[in-house]
């Protein structure tokens, strides 16, 4: 491949996946006056087994994030016809004198809209109107000098309160009676977040969502070790992990940390620690469909490359590599202040430029090495290895393969257990999405003559 072909977007297996996360506009049904302790299973029983709901997470039992109080329940259907048939079936099951019930409460099941659902999931969003479930920013009028306008879909306080209800359920009477509600709330938030609108949220917002999800998984795992509560089980842990794995804005190294927090050995065994845990970029990810050969090729070019310049706020970090480094010494992360200031779309563009520089430099280094080897090969007969030596060398190289799980995601696995590199130690506390625990290490970039320059 030429250097132009290496840089071509259609050939590169690393890029941004949030553009493909635009969800279709489903039909939405609202359940009003539902009991505080309503469960997802009760909602499923209300509509029956024949109801055609959307995939993944169609039932959203919403919670007031500050208090933990259950508000309304929304259900996503595959089409308007399916939603209307489900409502009609419920009405036919009850006579005109008594409506449907959940527990001891009369409920009302009506057609709603994706706009109402998004407004309920993100109630504190200002300066936004929802059109067919998509955010449209509304410009502030000149006389609205008191308004700050749009400043994000979520606040740090909302996420802090959500995590606190999981860590300390006794602080709220609602969380103590319905312990599963905070976990269901964060799952709905991640599934419904408009990741495709990458210019409307920052890297910091993505990081806070990741850290909140990670802390809540850790709290649930520890709680399940101590005792069993109604509504809390291993299935909920799997749903939390699946929301993180399917999130298009979470990088492979983030997904590895989430899997590590669950302490699920089977999932971790399907993940190659060097390919997943040490993925070098902070907003880029692997693009589907996964091509293991292309990932291996581009990983080798990244390991050989060196960026000419880094954008302000994007720093390289030095991490423990174990026995081998698939991507070389590179591990990039956005500094806290920069993550708060830069939009996710701008961060993706900046990292794509760093990726391009690494690929070009790595290609040139690799090409120079091949030319030197081809020139030296005729002069040195001793450099020719025997077939037995070739077989021995091949047997020592780790073989990488791809596996598909039920969630539709792909994990990279090492075929030979003997060739598998050592799994790195847990690094939750110094993971780069937690700026308060972050320490910058740029020792290998310290040289002004050989190291990359800094823009800005």
């Amino acid at each position: 491949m030429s250097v132009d072909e290496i840089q071509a977007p259609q050939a590169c297996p690393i890029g941004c996946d949030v553009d493909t996360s635009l969800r279709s506009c489903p039909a939405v049904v609202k359940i009003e006056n539902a009991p505080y302790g309503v469960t997802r299973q009760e909602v499923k029983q209300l509509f029956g087994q024949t109801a055609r709901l959307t995939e993944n997470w169609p039932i959203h039992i919403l919670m007031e994030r500050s208090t933990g109080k259950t508000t309304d329940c929304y259900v996503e259907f595959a089409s308007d016809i399916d939603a209307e048939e489900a409502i009609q079936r419920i009405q036919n099951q009850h006579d005109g004198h008594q409506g449907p019930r959940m527990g001891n409460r009369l409920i009302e099941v009506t057609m709603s809209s994706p706009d109402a659902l998004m407004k309920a999931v993100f109630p504190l969003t200002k300066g936004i109107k929802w059109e067919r479930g998509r955010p449209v920013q509304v410009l502030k009028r000149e006389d609205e000098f008191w308004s700050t306008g749009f400043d994000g879909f979520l606040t740090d306080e909302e996420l802090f309160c959500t995590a606190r209800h999981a860590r300390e359920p006794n602080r709220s009477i609602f969380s103590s009676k319905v312990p599963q509600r905070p976990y269901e709330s964060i799952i709905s938030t991640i599934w419904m977040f408009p990741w495709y609108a990458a210019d409307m949220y920052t890297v910091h917002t993505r990081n806070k969502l990741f850290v909140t999800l990670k802390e809540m998984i850790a709290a649930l795992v520890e709680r399940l070790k101590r005792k069993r509560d109604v509504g809390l089980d291993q299935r909920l842990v799997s749903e939390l992990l699946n929301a993180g794995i399917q999130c298009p804005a979470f990088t492979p190294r983030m997904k590895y940390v989430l899997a590590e927090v669950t302490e699920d050995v089977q999932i971790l065994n399907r993940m190659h620690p060097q390919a997943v845990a040490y993925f070098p970029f902070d907003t880029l990810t692997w693009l589907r469909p996964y091509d293991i050969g292309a990932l291996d090729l581009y990983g080798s070019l990244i390991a050989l490359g060196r960026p000419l310049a880094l954008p302000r706020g994007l720093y390289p970090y030095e991490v423990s590599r174990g026995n081998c480094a698939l991507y070389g010494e590179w591990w990039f992360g956005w500094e806290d202040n920069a993550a708060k200031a830069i939009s996710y779309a701008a961060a993706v563009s900046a990292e794509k430029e760093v990726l391009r520089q690494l690929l070009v430099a790595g290609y040139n280094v690799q090409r120079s090495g091949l030319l030197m080897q081809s020139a030296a090969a005729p002069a040195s007969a001793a450099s020719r290895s025997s077939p037995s030596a070739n077989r021995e060398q091949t047997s020592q190289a780790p073989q990488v393969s791809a596996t598909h799980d039920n969630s539709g995601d792909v994990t990279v696995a090492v075929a030979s257990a003997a060739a598998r590199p050592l799994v790195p130690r847990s690094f939750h506390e110094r993971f780069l999405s937690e700026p308060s625990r972050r320490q910058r290490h740029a020792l290998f970039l310290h040289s002004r003559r050989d190291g990359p320059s800094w823009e800005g």
Side-chain angles (χ1 to χ4, degrees):
M1 297 179 67
S2 66
V3 66
D4 293 332
E5 293 173 335
I6 289 290
Q7 299 178 69
Q10 61 272 19
C12 183
I14 298 175
C16 180
D17 204 24
V18 298
D19 296 337
T20 62
S21 64
L22 180 61
R23 304 171 76 242
S24 60
C25 185
V28 179
V29 171
K30 182 180 181 180
I31 303 176
E32 296 184 75
N33 200 37
Y36 294 148
V38 64
T39 64
R40 298 177 69 248
Q41 187 61 33
E42 290 175 333
V43 175
K44 290 180 181 179
Q45 291 175 356
L46 174 68
F47 290 104
Q49 296 181 353
T50 58
R52 294 185 62 236
L53 308 182
T54 57
E55 298 179 353
N56 296 319
W57 190 259
I59 300 174
H60 306 277
I61 306 177
L62 302 183
M63 175 193 81
E64 191 178 59
R65 294 186 177 98
S66 59
T67 63
K69 178 182 177 181
T70 302
T71 54
D72 291 317
C73 175
Y74 292 84
V75 183
E76 294 180 282
F77 283 80
S79 66
D80 290 335
I81 296 176
D82 296 319
E84 292 170 356
E85 289 179 352
I87 294 175
Q88 188 63 41
R89 187 164 52 250
I90 292 175
Q91 293 176 350
N92 293 339
Q93 292 173 355
H94 302 83
D95 54 35
H97 302 286
Q98 185 177 11
R101 286 180 173 268
M102 273 189 174
N104 58 354
R105 282 197 179 190
L106 284 171
I107 61 171
E108 185 176 357
V109 184
T110 58
M111 285 292 294
S112 186
S113 66
D115 298 343
L117 171 58
M118 296 298 290
K119 189 173 182 179
V121 176
F122 306 101
L124 300 184
T125 303
K126 298 179 296 183
I128 283 290
K129 65 177 181 179
W130 299 96
E131 296 183 356
R132 296 185 60 81
R134 303 174 187 179
V136 177
Q137 191 166 350
V138 179
L139 297 178
K140 185 173 61 174
R141 299 198 309 267
E142 293 183 0
D143 59 339
E144 293 180 325
F145 59 89
W146 46 267
S147 175
T148 59
F150 175 72
D151 57 357
F153 299 103
L154 287 167
T155 64
D156 290 356
E157 289 77 14
E158 287 182 282
L159 295 176
F160 171 80
C161 291
T162 304
R164 185 189 63 181
H165 292 315
R167 294 192 308 266
E168 306 171 20
N170 294 330
R171 292 177 62 96
S172 170
I173 186 173
F174 302 107
S175 298
S176 60
K177 290 184 177 180
V178 192
Q180 74 272 21
R181 194 68 75 234
Y183 302 101
E184 295 172 346
S185 174
I186 193 64
I187 294 175
S188 292
T189 301
I190 292 176
W191 276 114
M192 299 304 298
F193 195 90
W195 299 110
Y196 51 86
D199 58 338
M200 301 181 71
Y201 60 91
T202 63
V203 176
H204 172 77
T205 301
R206 189 280 311 265
N207 291 348
K208 291 297 293 184
L209 272 167
F210 165 74
V211 172
T212 301
L213 178 62
K214 185 192 72 171
E215 291 178 352
M216 294 181 70
I217 293 177
L220 180 57
V221 170
E222 290 299 320
R223 188 168 180 176
L224 291 177
K225 290 180 181 178
R226 295 193 304 267
K227 62 177 181 178
R228 295 285 179 175
D229 293 315
V230 177
L232 302 181
D233 51 23
Q234 194 61 36
R235 183 182 302 177
L236 186 57
V237 177
S238 300
E239 292 286 0
L240 288 164
L241 177 61
N242 184 52
I245 293 294
Q246 297 295 334
C247 177
F250 289 175
T251 61
R253 68 194 189 196
M254 288 180 166
K255 297 175 182 180
Y256 181 84
V257 170
L258 294 177
E260 197 177 26
V261 172
T262 63
E263 301 179 5
D264 192 326
V265 179
Q266 294 182 353
I267 294 178
L268 287 174
N269 286 341
R270 298 205 305 267
M271 290 186 171
H272 189 302
Q274 293 294 332
V276 182
Y278 294 125
F279 185 78
F281 297 102
D282 201 15
T283 58
L284 303 182
T285 185
W286 297 336
L287 298 179
R288 303 180 187 185
Y290 302 104
D291 186 341
I292 301 303
L295 288 171
D296 183 61
L297 169 63
Y298 279 76
S300 64
L301 295 178
I302 292 172
L304 294 172
R306 195 172 186 84
L308 298 176
L310 294 179
R312 178 185 293 275
L314 183 65
Y315 290 96
Y317 293 82
E318 184 180 3
V319 293
S320 174
R321 294 292 180 173
N323 286 343
C324 67
L326 183 62
Y327 304 102
E329 61 186 12
W330 303 116
W331 173 295
F332 299 102
W334 289 95
E335 189 266 335
D336 187 30
N337 292 330
K340 291 180 180 180
I342 191 171
S343 70
Y344 196 83
V348 167
S349 298
E351 291 191 28
K352 283 184 176 180
E353 175 59 24
V354 174
L355 172 62
R356 187 194 67 81
Q357 296 176 16
L358 287 171
L359 293 177
V360 172
Y363 177 85
N364 292 332
V365 171
Q366 188 181 71
R367 188 166 178 267
S368 300
L370 292 175
L371 291 176
M372 293 177 62
Q373 289 180 6
S374 61
S380 177
S383 62
R384 299 191 185 98
S385 59
S386 63
S388 61
N390 286 334
R391 286 193 299 269
E392 181 180 357
Q393 185 176 5
T394 304
S395 63
Q396 293 176 355
Q399 301 298 320
V400 180
S401 60
T403 14
H404 295 257
D405 54 22
N406 295 330
S407 65
D409 208 80
V410 175
T411 54
V412 182
V414 177
S416 173
R420 181 175 300 180
L422 294 178
V423 176
R425 66 181 180 86
S426 299
F427 48 91
H428 314 149
E429 299 301 323
R430 62 189 182 92
F431 188 69
L432 298 186
S433 289
E434 296 187 75
S436 62
R437 303 182 185 273
R438 189 184 317 179
Q439 294 183 356
R440 287 181 295 201
H441 300 280
L443 300 179
F444 52 87
L445 297 177
H446 189 63
S447 172
R448 292 180 179 270
R449 181 173 55 186
D450 298 329
S453 61
W454 302 92
E455 291 184 353

